Amino acid sequence: MMKRARQKVVIENESPQTLQKSKNQKTCLHGSAFGESDLHASMDWGSLPHHVILRIFQFLPLVDRARASSVCRRWNDVFHIPDLWRRFEFELSQPATSYLKSTHPDLIQQIIKRHADHLQYVSFKVDSSTESAEAACDILSQLVNCSIKTLGLISTAKPSFMNVSKAHFASALTVVFVNSKSLSSVKIDDTPLDDPSLKVLVANNSDTLKLLKMSSCPHVSPAGILCVADQCHGLKELALNYYILSDELLLALSSEKHVDLEHLRIDVVSENPGQVEFHTIKKQSWDAFVKHSPKVNIVMYFFLYEEEFDAFFREETPVTHLYFGRAVSKAMLGRIGMNCPRLIELVVCANGLQPLDDELIRIAERCKNLTAMGLGECEVTCRGFIEFVKMCGGRLTQLSIMEEVLIPDNDYSLDRLHLEVSKHLGRMWFPDMMPTW
Amino acid sequence: MLHRTIHLFRKGLRLHDNPALLAALESSEAIYPVYILDRKFMTSVMHIGALRWHFLLQSLEDLQKNLSQLGSCLLVIQGEYESVLRDHVQKWNITQVTLDAEMEPFYKEMEANIRRLGEELGFEVLSLVGHSLYDTKRILDLNGGTPPLTYKRFLHILSLLGDPEVPVRNITAEDFQRCRAPELCLAECYRVPLPVDLKIPPESLSPWKGGESKGLQRLEQHLTDQGWVASFTKPRTIPNSLLPSTTGLSPYFSMGCLSVRTFFYRLSNIYAQAKHHSLPPVSLQGQLLWREFFYTVASATPNFTKMAGNPICLQISWDEDAERLHKWKTAQTGFPWIDAIMTQLHQEGWIHHLARHAVACFLTRGDLWISWEEGMKVFEELLLDADYSINAGNWMWLSASAFFHQYTRIFCPVHFGRRTDPEGQYVRKYLPVLKNFPSKYIYEPWMASEEEQKQAGCIIGRDYPFPMVNHKEASDHNLQLMKQVREEQYGTAQLTRDDTDDPMEMKPGCKAAPGLSDGCERLAAGSWRC
């Protein structure tokens, strides 16, 4: 470790420029006397009080902090104060194939050796290689004496955790789940999470768990998530895939002991077109759910093929945010108008070549809470679109439509359209335009 | 005192609406219409491929023909422009040089050098704007001295500015009678070179032929053709728009064979009369406005055609991969949609703007993560309408380096093509090796079984390459990189961005339901894939 000679700094009348970062600095350094050289001769950067250095370090990114820690022993001590190690994001990638930064292995070792106990908010960002995911699991397995509150496993590209053996993954998670006992937020989308691991999570953290995001975890069953709902009464945010959503789950989340849920996100995904029959959720279950948590945001992401929407929105459904990532059928959009009175936001990536005028107008009529809409590869006549905007008026705070979507008709050209829409929205508005050249 | 004038054609290769030429005629007793073919200069500032040389030569031929019909002629003098001017200013006793004012830095420098020469040799220099709809300075002034950096803001400024400059009157034979034309022997001496003189292939296979006459013909056809409104505004649903356009005008604008002001006013007249029309920006007038937008920004942005030192451009560590770039450039990506487009580009020098979006996205932020500057150079070489500012501006747009911020919208090289042209006619035409594949596989032939490939007479991996990337993986990965870049360079990204109306673009720090803003990014994974 490099040790630089202590520097004697003579402090003039002006406040030191380099210590702008913390106002506390001035009072600590100057005390009550200015410009008295004998008082200041004994003060140097190395003898700043710990809490002052700590405060400064908290502003610095890790790389700079690490450099600073090599300056002198005192600064090095501060570098290792537990407060600076509460939050850490391990970035794991294989340099040969990724541009994403990677946490230095020495640093990882140091953290495991000296700071595992201090970690409270931990995340792992991995690239698409299995090695990175395995490295993440190895680290997790060593966090034995920790009391982690927040855990996040983030796959930046491919879901590389899915390539880790189930056993390895489960045992790594178990270490954290069992030892932390105070997990409040767990984000483990796109992992081989399974029911037994969920049981362990619940057994040890049911009092503290508030957020659980587990979209695209194909080994979890409806029973597995039900266990969470039954035991974790403080759960406020949940993200999962549609196939494990059940009437029982909604009812469990609505039990008296359960707090209000704030955010429920449901991903509806199909990999094999036409091969999955989606089950339906009973209206009573939704009703009970919303009755219990009247302010809940229900966010649904659909990645289905056109012919797969039949099961959805045949009855009133309290969804608030809808995203259609692939195509969506005209009939489905019609049903949304009929049955989604709580709808706040709607984004349609792609529809087809039939104009959606009627469907949009019905949505404007019946979805009185709609404030945001985005339309991608669809077709809407100018007249229909203006009608829609007129009916929504100023409550549409966000409106995005690709210019190519709009079909000019007898009543409106694109030029007139943008003026009309601007008028109804009460602000200058243009569709999204791409350059033509 | 009447001048003896050299009128220097640079762009502006036309007689209609040519303010500088008209000014020359009205102030001179003798006029020498000159085009200096300074090959060294031209190739040092832009890449020029064979097709564009042909287009240029054809345009010069046409200019020569039109001038001789009015009793004059065009003199094409080869050599370095400064020495050419020195020689001929003395030989012909020149007192004035007129030229179009152009805004590219290399043309500005040329003009400055010519002015210096004028001071030295004693001739005046007159330059007038003729290549853009408006005098760019007026736009800058109205926007407080800086260029409007979003198209929407630009349109707003234009609405305050009113109509563009009106085209100047036509030049007549009388103008040339008053103003003596060059001696006949000169015309012989300085005729338009042939392709072989410039060592380029003798024939251009492109259906686009250069020149003012051809340009005006197309203009007429464009304006009298009843179907143009529908076909231009819905290109997506009509695959024919991908085929070489018989009414397209962009190369004629970029060389100045056609005046944008003339076109603008012809269109305005039609709009005033017709009931059914579509107005900017998808329409034809819109094409002109986009052009104007990029000119305006380029005129006041340093290093506009580069990433480094360009204040409005995101600084991205693009990959340097010569091999992958080569595959893209030479239509060997293994994605028929992309390869067909690049093939058309090579063969004809023009591709539809949606096609440009597709290949540009593929090269940069979509799949290969290669710098937009590389793509820009390739377009510069191959496109007939390659234009310094427009090319750079569009590449920055399409790579989401500036102006365009919905980076989560990535064009899928399979689906985009399929939606535009479900039966794959376009692919079959430009990649005949694939023409026997059924429509089901024409955009992803690697999905066909070995038997089906044999039937189609094309084995993937042997007769046509495998796809060079896994699109989903590559684009997922690139999306994350782009996300990082934009977080780190938030300030730069905001420069060229309107207040967003898009619910998918949540500004950091804005109030969102818990988990909703990251949901918007999540939407990108699998969504907005055109």
Side-chain angles (χ1 to χ4, degrees):
Chain A
M1 197 169 17
M2 261 196 331
K3 283 193 180 150
R4 296 220 198 101
R6 287 189 180 191
Q7 285 181 333
K8 291 220 167 135
V9 178
V10 175
I11 295 155
E12 310 289 0
N13 280 345
E14 282 101 31
S15 35
Q17 294 301 317
T18 47
L19 295 176
Q20 278 164 346
K21 293 213 161 126
S22 173
K23 292 217 171 94
N24 290 339
Q25 295 309 317
K26 293 184 204 162
T27 45
C28 293
L29 282 168
H30 291 195
S32 55
F34 286 89
E36 288 176 16
S37 52
D38 55 345
L39 179 64
H40 294 159
S42 63
M43 291 192 82
D44 57 52
W45 298 106
S47 57
L48 288 171
H50 273 114
H51 69 276
V52 167
I53 307 172
L54 175 64
R55 186 98 166 88
I56 300 176
F57 276 18
Q58 278 165 339
F59 287 103
L60 296 179
L62 178 60
V63 148
D64 293 339
R65 240 188 282 152
R67 287 199 191 112
S69 74
S70 332
V71 167
C72 63
R73 174 157 293 140
R74 206 175 171 89
W75 286 22
N76 190 271
D77 289 341
V78 175
F79 181 64
H80 288 289
I81 288 178
D83 291 38
L84 291 172
W85 297 98
R86 300 261 174 254
R87 206 173 277 274
F88 198 80
E89 177 160 87
F90 292 92
E91 292 174 291
L92 302 164
S93 57
Q94 305 306 307
T97 53
S98 166
Y99 328 73
L100 300 174
K101 302 176 282 175
S102 203
T103 312
H104 199 285
D106 290 347
L107 178 57
I108 297 180
Q109 283 315 305
Q110 250 206 14
I111 293 173
I112 294 175
K113 231 178 13 188
R114 290 179 75 162
H115 298 293
D117 303 2
H118 308 147
L119 292 172
Q120 288 180 343
Y121 310 97
V122 182
S123 56
F124 293 83
K125 210 150 110 175
V126 303
D127 66 4
S128 5
S129 67
T130 314
E131 293 94 323
S132 303
E134 277 170 356
C137 293
D138 288 337
I139 298 170
L140 277 170
S141 307
Q142 297 178 70
L143 299 179
V144 183
N145 291 321
C146 57
S147 50
I148 295 181
K149 298 202 170 95
T150 300
L151 174 67
L153 301 182
I154 305 161
S155 317
T156 56
K158 275 193 322 185
S160 40
F161 281 105
M162 294 305 297
N163 298 331
V164 177
S165 83
K166 266 181 77 182
H168 187 189
F169 185 77
S171 70
L173 272 193
T174 302
V175 169
V176 176
F177 286 176
V178 166
N179 289 291
S180 292
K181 299 207 190 311
S182 56
L183 276 169
S184 147
S185 164
V186 176
K187 294 186 191 174
I188 40 179
D189 312 280
D190 293 299
T191 63
L193 177 73
D194 56 13
D195 289 359
S197 302
L198 277 180
K199 268 218 179 81
V200 174
L201 170 67
V202 165
N204 291 282
N205 301 276
S206 60
D207 292 340
T208 51
L209 192 66
K210 295 198 173 57
L211 181 150
L212 175 61
K213 295 206 167 169
M214 34 167 273
S215 304
S216 304
C217 293
H219 303 308
V220 176
S221 78
I225 187 64
L226 195 54
C227 167
V228 176
D230 280 337
Q231 311 273 338
C232 304
H233 301 138
L235 193 66
K236 290 191 169 162
E237 280 191 52
L238 178 61
L240 41 61
N241 279 36
Y242 187 77
Y243 76 91
I244 56 173
L245 182 70
S246 62
D247 297 294
E248 291 79 12
L249 181 64
L250 289 178
L251 292 173
L253 291 170
S254 316
S255 80
E256 266 198 40
K257 290 181 283 184
H258 217 285
V259 302
D260 285 20
L261 208 76
E262 287 173 11
H263 189 85
L264 174 66
R265 172 178 160 155
I266 305 162
D267 281 20
V268 191
V269 181
S270 152
E271 293 304 319
N272 302 310
Q275 286 187 11
V276 183
E277 282 250 356
F278 291 98
H279 64 284
T280 49
I281 302 291
K282 298 201 189 82
K283 184 172 180 307
Q284 301 99 290
S285 313
W286 281 122
D287 288 346
F289 181 65
V290 174
K291 187 151 175 243
H292 182 78
S293 309
K295 295 216 185 77
V296 66
N297 281 317
I298 302 175
V299 182
M300 293 185 77
Y301 279 70
F302 284 87
F303 299 103
L304 301 183
Y305 296 91
E306 256 202 54
E307 57 274 19
E308 297 175 304
F309 287 103
D310 283 350
F312 297 98
F313 303 129
R314 299 222 162 253
E315 296 179 298
E316 202 176 286
T317 315
V319 63
T320 54
H321 298 73
L322 269 178
Y323 299 95
F324 292 96
R326 279 205 199 103
V328 57
S329 68
K330 203 158 131 73
M332 171 76 154
L333 288 172
R335 294 204 296 278
I336 287 168
M338 293 294 295
N339 293 322
C340 301
R342 289 179 89 231
L343 192 66
I344 295 173
E345 194 165 301
L346 173 64
V347 176
V348 176
C349 252
N351 175 255
L353 297 176
Q354 298 268 329
L356 296 176
D357 294 13
D358 295 338
E359 287 76 14
L360 283 184
I361 288 169
R362 186 184 295 158
I363 288 173
E365 265 172 358
R366 315 245 324 207
C367 304
K368 290 292 186 203
N369 297 307
L370 188 76
T371 59
M373 178 143 100
L375 289 178
E377 303 280 314
C378 314
E379 305 248 323
V380 183
T381 70
C382 288
R383 190 192 52 78
F385 185 67
I386 289 174
E387 185 69 32
F388 167 78
V389 176
K390 199 154 85 171
M391 292 173 75
C392 293
R395 66 177 153 98
L396 270 182
T397 55
Q398 287 177 312
L399 179 62
S400 160
I401 184 166
M402 279 161 56
E403 180 190 35
E404 300 97 82
V405 167
L406 294 162
I407 311 170
D409 52 43
N410 289 340
D411 301 317
Y412 290 102
S413 64
L414 283 172
D415 181 60
R416 259 197 80 193
L417 177 133
H418 99 83
L419 291 169
E420 280 289 313
V421 171
S422 301
K423 194 173 74 184
H424 294 305
L425 292 180
R427 62 181 191 273
M428 181 73 125
W429 179 92
F430 286 96
D432 295 341
M433 298 170 277
M434 290 287 265
T436 55
W437 50 328
Chain B
M1 184 208 89
L2 288 177
H3 282 292
R4 297 177 56 79
T5 303
I6 286 180
H7 175 76
L8 214 53
F9 286 99
R10 298 192 292 180
K11 293 190 278 189
L13 302 177
R14 64 176 185 273
L15 299 180
H16 71 277
D17 186 34
N18 195 330
L21 179 59
L22 184 64
L25 285 167
E26 288 181 338
S27 63
S28 313
E29 60 177 20
I31 185 165
Y32 296 83
V34 167
Y35 184 89
I36 301 181
L37 189 56
D38 183 343
R39 225 176 152 176
K40 189 157 146 227
F41 173 78
M42 288 167 82
T43 52
S44 73
V45 300
M46 276 180 86
H47 297 80
I48 310 180
L51 291 184
R52 198 147 89 253
W53 278 119
H54 277 290
F55 196 90
L56 172 65
L57 293 178
Q58 288 156 359
S59 304
L60 293 175
E61 277 287 354
D62 189 65
L63 197 55
Q64 153 71 337
K65 206 166 34 180
N66 293 333
L67 276 168
S68 53
Q69 276 173 2
L70 292 178
S72 180
C73 68
L74 177 70
L75 306 171
V76 180
I77 310 177
Q78 298 189 43
E80 290 185 19
Y81 71 86
E82 209 163 312
S83 35
V84 165
L85 276 176
R86 265 184 203 283
D87 286 345
H88 292 85
V89 159
Q90 287 184 331
K91 239 194 284 190
W92 298 335
N93 290 318
I94 297 298
T95 60
Q96 176 183 242
V97 169
T98 56
L99 72 171
D100 271 350
E102 307 287 1
M103 45 69 61
E104 290 88 337
F106 48 86
Y107 274 147
K108 279 195 185 144
E109 194 185 317
M110 183 194 253
E111 182 176 331
N113 287 339
I114 294 177
R115 285 183 185 273
R116 248 194 305 278
L117 200 60
E119 279 173 22
E120 187 195 320
L121 300 181
F123 61 81
E124 284 175 32
V125 177
L126 173 62
S127 72
L128 293 172
V129 176
H131 199 65
S132 52
L133 289 173
Y134 296 87
D135 184 346
T136 314
K137 284 197 203 61
R138 291 178 63 205
I139 301 177
L140 296 176
D141 285 342
L142 252 179
N143 199 48
T146 58
L149 291 176
T150 73
Y151 189 63
K152 291 179 187 178
R153 172 134 193 92
F154 176 74
L155 290 182
H156 172 67
I157 298 284
L158 288 194
S159 70
L160 303 174
L161 211 51
D163 282 334
E165 319 295 335
V166 193
V168 298
R169 69 163 178 86
N170 279 338
I171 289 165
T172 62
E174 281 76 40
D175 291 305
F176 280 103
Q177 273 163 21
R178 276 185 296 108
C179 187
R180 209 159 19 97
E183 301 77 50
L184 278 171
C185 57
L186 285 176
E188 256 315 296
C189 193
Y190 295 123
R191 59 171 178 74
V192 179
L194 297 168
V196 62
D197 299 333
L198 296 181
K199 301 198 179 60
I200 57 175
E203 280 297 309
S204 160
L205 296 171
S206 172
W208 298 77
K209 300 292 175 217
E212 179 183 5
S213 310
K214 284 280 187 318
L216 287 170
Q217 260 172 31
R218 277 171 172 257
L219 182 66
E220 289 312 315
Q221 190 162 347
H222 221 150
L223 299 178
T224 54
D225 183 354
Q226 289 301 315
W228 63 261
V229 172
S231 61
F232 198 88
T233 53
K234 302 303 290 180
R236 201 164 37 83
T237 55
I238 302 178
N240 284 334
S241 60
L242 294 173
L243 299 173
S245 163
T246 52
T247 52
L249 299 171
S250 57
Y252 301 91
F253 288 132
S254 71
M255 286 247 180
C257 301
L258 269 186
S259 153
V260 291
R261 295 169 185 182
T262 301
F263 184 50
F264 186 94
Y265 278 99
R266 288 294 300 277
L267 276 179
S268 296
N269 287 341
I270 292 186
Y271 290 175
Q273 294 160 26
K275 214 173 61 158
H276 305 175
H277 54 261
S278 60
L279 287 175
V282 183
S283 70
L284 303 164
Q285 229 172 29
Q287 186 184 44
L288 297 183
L289 296 182
W290 278 108
R291 188 175 175 275
E292 199 81 3
F293 171 66
F294 287 124
Y295 274 150
T296 308
V297 182
S299 73
T301 304
N303 301 307
F304 186 72
T305 60
K306 294 200 256 290
M307 179 178 79
N310 184 340
I312 62 167
C313 181
L314 289 176
Q315 305 297 308
I316 298 176
S317 332
W318 301 106
D319 263 353
E320 286 182 20
D321 193 324
E323 195 190 322
R324 287 173 126 199
L325 174 61
H326 182 77
K327 285 190 176 159
W328 175 83
K329 180 176 176 180
T330 55
Q332 295 176 72
T333 66
F335 290 93
W337 171 235
I338 304 295
D339 291 338
I341 294 170
M342 294 307 283
T343 302
Q344 185 186 24
L345 178 58
H346 275 276
Q347 286 179 2
E348 299 173 8
W350 179 90
I351 48 178
H352 191 273
H353 69 265
L354 288 181
R356 300 182 199 203
H357 295 174
V359 299
C361 181
F362 185 87
L363 178 71
T364 58
R365 65 189 174 87
D367 296 75
L368 301 186
W369 201 254
I370 289 177
S371 167
W372 58 269
E373 290 178 73
E374 297 297 339
M376 182 185 78
K377 286 180 204 148
V378 170
F379 271 26
E380 207 175 83
E381 186 190 325
L382 300 175
L383 269 179
L384 290 175
D385 57 33
D387 178 291
Y388 183 79
S389 331
I390 301 175
N391 200 11
N394 273 290
W395 272 95
M396 277 191 276
W397 182 294
L398 296 171
S399 62
S401 300
F403 309 116
F404 177 71
H405 305 283
Q406 282 154 352
Y407 68 95
T408 53
R409 289 183 187 164
I410 293 181
F411 297 107
C412 171
V414 173
H415 293 130
F416 189 13
R418 187 176 282 152
R419 266 208 320 281
T420 311
D421 176 17
E423 298 308 314
Q425 316 285 29
Y426 176 76
V427 172
R428 292 176 213 284
K429 173 178 162 125
Y430 289 99
L431 296 177
V433 68
L434 296 175
K435 72 177 192 291
N436 294 320
F437 274 98
S439 302
K440 186 169 163 199
Y441 294 122
I442 190 75
Y443 290 102
E444 40 187 355
W446 61 88
M447 297 292 282
S449 69
E450 203 179 306
E451 191 50 50
E452 286 162 316
Q453 290 180 23
K454 278 208 189 91
Q455 269 186 2
C458 174
I459 306 296
I460 304 305
R462 193 189 71 193
D463 306 308
Y464 180 75
F466 283 115
M468 66 184 286
V469 289
N470 175 317
H471 173 70
K472 180 158 198 322
E473 270 181 34
S475 53
D476 277 347
H477 182 84
N478 294 339
L479 216 52
Q480 291 298 326
L481 292 179
M482 189 58 89
K483 191 169 146 207
Q484 268 188 338
V485 167
R486 300 181 73 87
E487 275 168 21
E488 288 164 28
Q489 299 178 43
Y490 178 72
T492 306
Q494 287 306 106
L495 286 176
T496 55
R497 191 171 175 171
D498 292 300
D499 288 331
T500 183
D501 249 285
D502 188 341
M504 292 213 317
E505 297 270 359
M506 304 292 259
K507 299 178 207 162
C510 90
K511 259 205 307 211
L516 202 63
S517 48
D518 83 281
C520 294
E521 256 82 54
R522 196 37 211 263
L523 184 70
S527 72
W528 290 111
R529 300 295 176 78
C530 300

